[in-house]
Amino acid sequence: MSSSTSAPGSGPLTDAGPVSLCAREPHVPADRLVAEMVPPPRFDSVRFATYLPDPNQPSQSEAVRVLEGFAAGLGGAHAVGGGKRGFLGFGRAKAPKTPAGPRGVYLDGGYGVGKTHLLASLWHATPAEPALKAFGTFVELTNLVGALGFQQTVRTLSGHRLLCIDEFELDDPGDTVLVSTLLGKLVEAGVALAATSNTLPGKLGEGRFAAADFLREIQGLSAHFRALRIDGEDYRHRGLPEAPAPFTDEEVTKAAYATEGASLDDFPHLLEHLAKVHPSRYGALTDGLRAVCLTGVRPVPDQSTALRLVVLADRLYDREVPVLASGLPFDRLFSEEMLNGGYRKKYFRAISRLTALARDAKGLVGS
């Protein structure tokens, strides 16, 4: 396997054969983190009009109606006044007191019901220039705090009209306190919030850490949102065939060498490499890729590794990168214990998304 590549995490791929993700160690500057807080490529062109509600699930049509009204209500002057806003949010008028009632919407539902589609549609429909609205995953938001510092993040995002947070799931009590405090500050500054999750805000952290010890913070988060339940089955499997069977190592390797812009890695080695790269950089890790080819897929060995793989699957799905693999099928990645534990919804989402990407990759064999 060739590990030839340009500077880690940047630049075009060479045509000297497939690159190795294990050879990449991307570093993402803070200004890129801010600039890239927009819907990812898969959701760049989605709109409310392109969302296809399941006629058997009225909550889906109701969610569209509520979100369209929410977007329309954000069309006035920004709540913090008319002061000029610099790149990092300096120079605005003093923020008003916290508005009464929820200042955001929270899309709750199972994986594959179109929550991210709706969240991105809300971002697009909000009548404000892109620099005044932000879209990112929960891990990207927490990493922004790590890169800029808490106070600077508050100043940066306080100038926005809308903050959209995808995949809102709290994995440790430190994140609970951090995000609760951050969102409280942003609500005080007049920023509207929207989030998606598989877990109601009052249930965040359940089954993962001692949520009862942080009940005040969790309830504080819940108070910021009006929850919208979206029912339905996973659209990625609605009327579609089962996941394709894995290919052989030889088929995957040949496809990697025959596909421009492909990567080729041994799955266990890739899992080891992910432990050395912060999950917030997994998007940069996949820069320029047109396909990911993996040999020797097998069950993940532990929960920490599994959660890192979930984030990688999300970034590949966002960027519409097909995944060709040998070994076990993706629905056997996680143990029964994992699929019955506190992170089960994350794991089912990862299986769903990787299965969709595996379908996208079928044409690479023999191409």
Side-chain angles (χ1 to χ4, degrees), residues 189-202:
V191 181
L193 307 174
T196 72
S197 181
N198 299 320
T199 308
L200 283 167

Side-chain angles (χ1 to χ4, degrees), residues 158-181:
S158 289
H160 287 62
R161 186 164 296 167
L162 172 69
L163 171 62
C164 295
I165 311 169
D166 200 19
E167 302 155 20
F168 198 122
E169 295 185 23
L170 300 180
D171 296 340
D172 63 67
D175 283 346
T176 304
V177 177
L178 173 69
V179 174
S180 176
T181 307

Side-chain angles (χ1 to χ4, degrees), residues 85-92 148-160 182 185-186 189 191:
R85 174 184 171 274
F87 173 69
L88 293 178
F90 294 106
R92 301 175 324 281
L148 298 181
F150 182 83
Q151 295 299 334
Q152 187 63 68
T153 301
V154 172
R155 287 191 288 267
T156 299
L157 297 179
S158 289
H160 287 62
L182 174 63
K185 295 287 187 183
L186 296 180
V191 181

Side-chain angles (χ1 to χ4, degrees), residues 223-239:
H224 296 316
F225 296 102
R226 171 189 174 181
L228 293 177
R229 174 71 189 180
I230 305 176
D231 299 303
E233 61 178 307
D234 185 350
Y235 77 91
R236 286 180 287 268
H237 303 300
R238 205 182 294 162

Side-chain angles (χ1 to χ4, degrees), residues 314-334:
D314 287 337
R315 301 293 77 77
L316 292 172
Y317 184 78
D318 288 345
R319 289 158 174 76
E320 301 181 304
V321 180
V323 179
L324 189 72
S326 68
L328 292 178
F330 289 131
D331 59 4
R332 294 172 62 184
L333 281 172
F334 308 108

